[in-house]
Amino acid sequence: MSSSTFDRETLLDLVVNAIPLGIILFFMLVFVVLNPFGSAPVQTALQFTIMLVMFVALGILSYYSARAISNAEKELEEEPAEFAEPQAAFADAEIESEYDEEDFADATEEIDESDSGVAIAADAEESAEESEAADEPPADADDEDEKA
């Protein structure tokens, strides 16, 4: 393992995997020292096998993750233009050519002057009143119940 594979940024990315490794190692040591489940050899062997397999699998996963992160960082450093978003360079030019500041100011003034916000609020109140009216039973049904 070269030192460039596990630089500072890569190690910070892998802290997420180091915490579970530490937890598994802690419980392995606790079960060796305290032996809370008795001394049944089959159960103890199965327990330690499961913990050891998980520890080794997470360790291998962490190593390959570190390599993938390191390789991606190297590729990004070598050719940053290759990984840049192609639309980002053209988006600013298109926006500037399509819109003029004066047109934008005129459009915003028109929106500010209109009462569209008031109309929307009035529509919302009307729809709320209609839904309340729909929930109430018709007046004719009450009259028929009283007559019977």
Side-chain angles (χ1 to χ4, degrees):
M1 290 184 248
S2 66
S3 62
S4 65
T5 301
F6 296 108
D7 60 349
R8 186 171 188 267
E9 288 93 21
T10 306
L11 289 175
L12 287 174
D13 290 336
L14 293 177
V15 166
V16 189
N17 291 351
I19 293 170
L21 283 171
I23 291 171
I24 293 171
L25 186 62
F26 169 77
F27 279 108
M28 287 177 70
L29 293 175
V30 166
F31 290 142
V32 166
V33 173
L34 297 179
N35 197 7
F37 300 116
S39 61
V42 174
Q43 293 174 350
T44 304
L46 183 61
Q47 171 187 351
F48 282 106
T49 301
I50 291 171
M51 287 191 296
L52 187 64
V53 167
M54 293 299 117
F55 186 83
V56 170
L58 188 57
I60 292 170
L61 176 71
S62 298
Y63 173 75
Y64 282 111
S65 298
R67 282 187 39 193
I69 291 169
S70 178
N71 291 340
E73 288 175 354
K74 286 179 186 175
E75 289 176 6
L76 187 60
E77 289 173 1
E78 291 173 0
E79 297 180 27
E82 180 181 339
F83 298 103
E85 294 182 20
Q87 296 84 10
F90 299 110
D92 293 335
E94 290 175 9
I95 290 172
E96 290 174 9
S97 65
E98 288 181 18
Y99 299 107
D100 188 20
E101 289 182 18
E102 293 175 9
D103 293 338
F104 182 73
D106 293 340
T108 54
E109 286 175 10
E110 291 174 9
I111 292 172
D112 291 339
E113 292 173 1
S114 71
D115 293 333
S116 62
V118 175
I120 292 172
D123 290 341
E125 289 177 7
E126 288 176 10
S127 64
E129 291 173 0
E130 290 174 2
S131 65
E132 288 176 6
D135 291 340
E136 296 176 5
D140 296 339
D142 291 336
D143 292 338
E144 291 175 10
D145 291 337
E146 292 174 7
K147 292 178 183 177

